[in-house]
Amino acid sequence: MCTTCGCGDETETRVTALAGRDRTSTGLHPDGRAHHHHDDGPHDHLDHSHTHVATAAAPRTVEIEERVLAKNDGLAQRNRSWLSARGIVALNVMSSPGSGKTSLLVRTIHELSADRSVAVIEGDQETLLDAERIRATGASVVQINTGAGCHLDAEMVQKGMNVLDPPSRSLLFIENVGNLVCPALFDLGETSKVVVISTTEGHDKPLKYPHMVAAADLLVINKTDLLPYVEFDVEACATHARSVNPGLPVLPLSVTTGAGMDAWYGWLAAL
């Protein structure tokens, strides 16, 4: 999958449909290819070969890393074209574990789905727990389990989209695996990248994970209801983030109380 983070090609990626249109299977051939492509599906033919990386000198490792990322970027661009042609807004939502990104999606779906169709590709190493939470909202959801893998990639998202088949003009959330490092490297074909941090993580997070913040189109600071109980400086966090990504919008909110959620919905509506 990638040589940048130690993900092994032996990792088994599982795609599970939990809700949405009638599906009789996960939508995958035994070799991992989606079998219910429409004529205008995102990808008709893909190279599903795996890159096996043996211990080698640094130049060889860099070359393989570049090839992996180049292949991913090509698939991501095909994803982006497919989404754009249908007017689908896709958001790659990234964070460390426990920031509250699943809770953010659950509340967002409850409050927006009456006006706009919402679907979710849920990424986790194991379990269907977060996808079950999404399914309880009534939204269509596909769970992608990456095994030892620490991020989603464009091919996984393509498979998820083929199973979901999101309708035109819909909103597609891609909840990435909880990790503030490797997801920043992999373009999924999304419309925008949203990074979520929480007030329990420390306001220096943008300085510790600059590549993630540099890739972001929006930084959400969640759990502002806990500000009286934690040492977190919202302004300092925003300043740190903009030192890495000048002009980055920073949106403090609380999924628990609803404070700041209207601003979040306004940002979504503007996409």
Side-chain angles (χ1 to χ4, degrees):
M1 190 181 339
C2 87
T3 62
T4 59
C5 60
C7 292
D9 292 323
E10 304 83 8
T11 298
E12 177 187 0
T13 300
R14 301 186 301 279
V15 180
T16 306
L18 280 80
R21 296 169 179 78
D22 291 338
R23 306 292 184 192
T24 57
S25 71
T26 61
L28 302 180
H29 285 298
D31 66 358
R33 291 181 291 116
H35 65 64
H36 68 280
H37 287 291
H38 302 297
D39 291 340
D40 61 346
H43 311 317
D44 293 326
H45 302 284
L46 290 174
D47 174 13
H48 293 270
S49 61
H50 296 290
T51 303
H52 296 275
V53 182
T55 302
R60 176 60 174 162
T61 302
V62 171
E63 177 187 347
I64 293 176
E65 288 174 358
E66 289 175 346
R67 287 169 53 194
V68 168
L69 291 173
K71 176 184 175 182
N72 181 83
D73 288 348
L75 297 177
Q77 187 53 47
R78 295 169 72 179
N79 286 348
R80 184 171 287 108
S81 297
W82 189 86
L83 291 163
S84 178
R86 288 152 186 79
I88 298 171
V89 173
L91 299 176
N92 182 4
V93 184
M94 300 175 285
S95 79
S96 58
S99 68
K101 61 184 182 297
T102 306
S103 296
L104 176 63
L105 299 190
V106 167
R107 181 158 188 157
T108 299
I109 293 166
H110 277 305
E111 297 183 353
L112 287 190
S113 58
D115 301 316
R116 188 173 190 180
S117 178
V118 181
V120 178
I121 295 174
E122 184 66 49
D124 279 305
Q125 289 188 320
E126 296 293 345
T127 81
L128 304 178
L129 295 174
D130 285 349
E132 293 284 6
R133 290 178 63 191
I134 298 295
R135 181 172 66 168
T137 69
S140 296
V141 58
V142 164
Q143 175 73 58
I144 298 180
N145 289 124
T146 62
C150 60
H151 59 85
L152 298 179
D153 62 29
E155 185 172 354
M156 296 177 195
V157 169
Q158 173 263 317
K159 292 176 180 178
M161 291 193 303
N162 282 336
V163 176
L164 277 176
D165 192 18
S168 296
R169 315 305 302 177
S170 61
L171 185 61
L172 173 64
F173 288 108
I174 304 166
E175 183 174 353
N176 220 311
V177 178
N179 178 0
L180 283 175
V181 182
C182 299
L185 300 175
F186 285 80
D187 184 6
L188 306 180
E190 69 278 345
T191 307
S192 296
K193 293 178 171 68
V194 177
V195 174
V196 181
I197 66 172
S198 68
T199 59
T200 58
E201 297 177 59
H203 54 252
D204 56 357
K205 251 326 178 10
L207 299 179
K208 292 182 176 180
Y209 300 93
H211 296 292
M212 177 64 76
V213 174
D217 297 296
L218 176 70
L219 177 65
V220 170
I221 301 176
N222 188 25
K223 304 186 183 180
T224 56
D225 53 299
L226 297 180
L227 283 172
Y229 314 106
V230 296
E231 294 184 3
F232 188 96
D233 187 327
V234 172
E235 290 303 319
C237 183
T239 298
H240 293 328
R242 289 171 181 145
S243 72
V244 175
N245 186 345
L248 177 67
V250 177
L251 178 56
L253 58 78
S254 169
V255 173
T256 300
T257 67
M261 291 298 292
D262 285 344
W264 162 245
Y265 298 142
W267 186 85
L268 291 176
L271 294 176

